[in-house]
Amino acid sequence: MKLFILSIVLIAGGVFAQEPLQPNILGELNLSSRVEEVKEYHGEVRDLKILAPTLAPEEIDRAVLNKLMQEIADNPKITEERLGVSSEQIDDIFITISNAKSFINNNEMANVRAMCNAWNSSNFRDDKRTQEAIDAYKTRDQFTKNFIAKYYRLVLFDIESLLHPSEQEKFNAYMNDRRRRMATSGTRSWGSVVENIKSGRDAVNFHCRVNRDK
């Protein structure tokens, strides 16, 4: 019995003896003050690395129609049924989109030329110089995208002119559905990555050779 009581005393004593060694973790972290430090932090914010630009709104109709052309090439019968058109009409739609695709190009060289001209003639340095070059690229690129959007509106008009009113309704429903899907698909756009200073700097270093170290 004495041995049993002694064992209890020793165990209890060991537990109480260890209590001062337990760190007060929450107290030492002082979470509330740490939250305030984070809120007040004004250090350097790193640019995200953009791997590839995604489709702009002006590019969606073009992408949808090119996808439709691919669907026709892969399985014309199913596409006929989906759109509710005849085989002759599906052939005409394919030819219309194919002609548009062969006519339109992205004119990336003009975008790059505008970027490098701005870079080479800039009076700024460092990030301001890079931003000026990026802005020149984006301005020229937007000009191309606006032209593509207007051109593909005409392509859509040509396709709709091939269809009866009931077929137009089905075609428009198809286009609207595919537009929604394409807008949220994360599909890669064409062109250089110039979404921020970091990506723009990479594009300038790759394309622009003159006065790079200015």
Side-chain angles (χ1 to χ4, degrees), residues 2-50:
K2 289 182 179 180
L3 182 60
F4 176 71
I5 294 173
L6 181 60
S7 299
I8 293 175
V9 171
L10 290 174
I11 292 171
V15 171
F16 289 125
Q18 291 177 17
E19 282 187 354
L21 299 178
Q22 297 290 333
N24 186 353
I25 296 175
L26 292 178
E28 289 183 4
L29 285 178
N30 198 351
L31 294 179
S32 59
S33 63
R34 181 58 181 152
V35 168
E36 292 304 317
E37 289 177 9
V38 172
K39 287 181 179 178
E40 295 174 3
Y41 176 70
H42 297 291
E44 180 183 359
V45 179
R46 295 173 60 188
D47 282 333
L48 294 174
K49 183 172 180 60
I50 310 296

Side-chain angles (χ1 to χ4, degrees), residues 12 21 50 54 58 67 81 98 103 116 119 137 142 156-157 196 212-213:
L21 299 178
I50 310 296
T54 53
E58 297 88 348
K67 180 68 174 175
E81 294 173 4
S98 179
F103 175 76
C116 292
W119 169 263
Y137 180 100
Q142 189 61 50
L156 281 170
F157 179 79
N196 55 29
R212 181 180 294 177
D213 299 324

Side-chain angles (χ1 to χ4, degrees), residues 126-143:
D126 302 324
D127 285 352
K128 286 187 176 180
R129 187 182 185 193
T130 302
Q131 188 62 57
E132 187 175 17
I134 290 173
D135 290 343
Y137 180 100
K138 289 181 177 180
T139 299
R140 184 60 183 77
D141 182 51
Q142 189 61 50
F143 174 83

Side-chain angles (χ1 to χ4, degrees), residues 6 9 22-24 43 45 47-48 69 77 91 95 97 126 133 137 141 153 164 193 202-203 211 214:
L6 181 60
V9 171
Q22 297 290 333
N24 186 353
V45 179
D47 282 333
L48 294 174
M69 184 177 71
K77 288 297 181 185
D91 288 342
I95 292 170
I97 301 173
D126 302 324
Y137 180 100
D141 182 51
R153 280 200 290 271
H164 298 297
V193 183
D202 292 341
N211 296 328
K214 177 181 172 183

Side-chain angles (χ1 to χ4, degrees), residues 70-98:
Q70 188 62 52
E71 290 176 4
I72 295 171
D74 291 343
N75 206 323
K77 288 297 181 185
I78 289 180
T79 311
E80 286 173 27
E81 294 173 4
R82 182 177 293 137
L83 297 180
V85 297
S86 66
S87 58
E88 291 79 10
Q89 287 172 310
I90 208 72
D91 288 342
D92 289 340
I93 291 172
F94 182 89
I95 292 170
T96 301
I97 301 173
S98 179

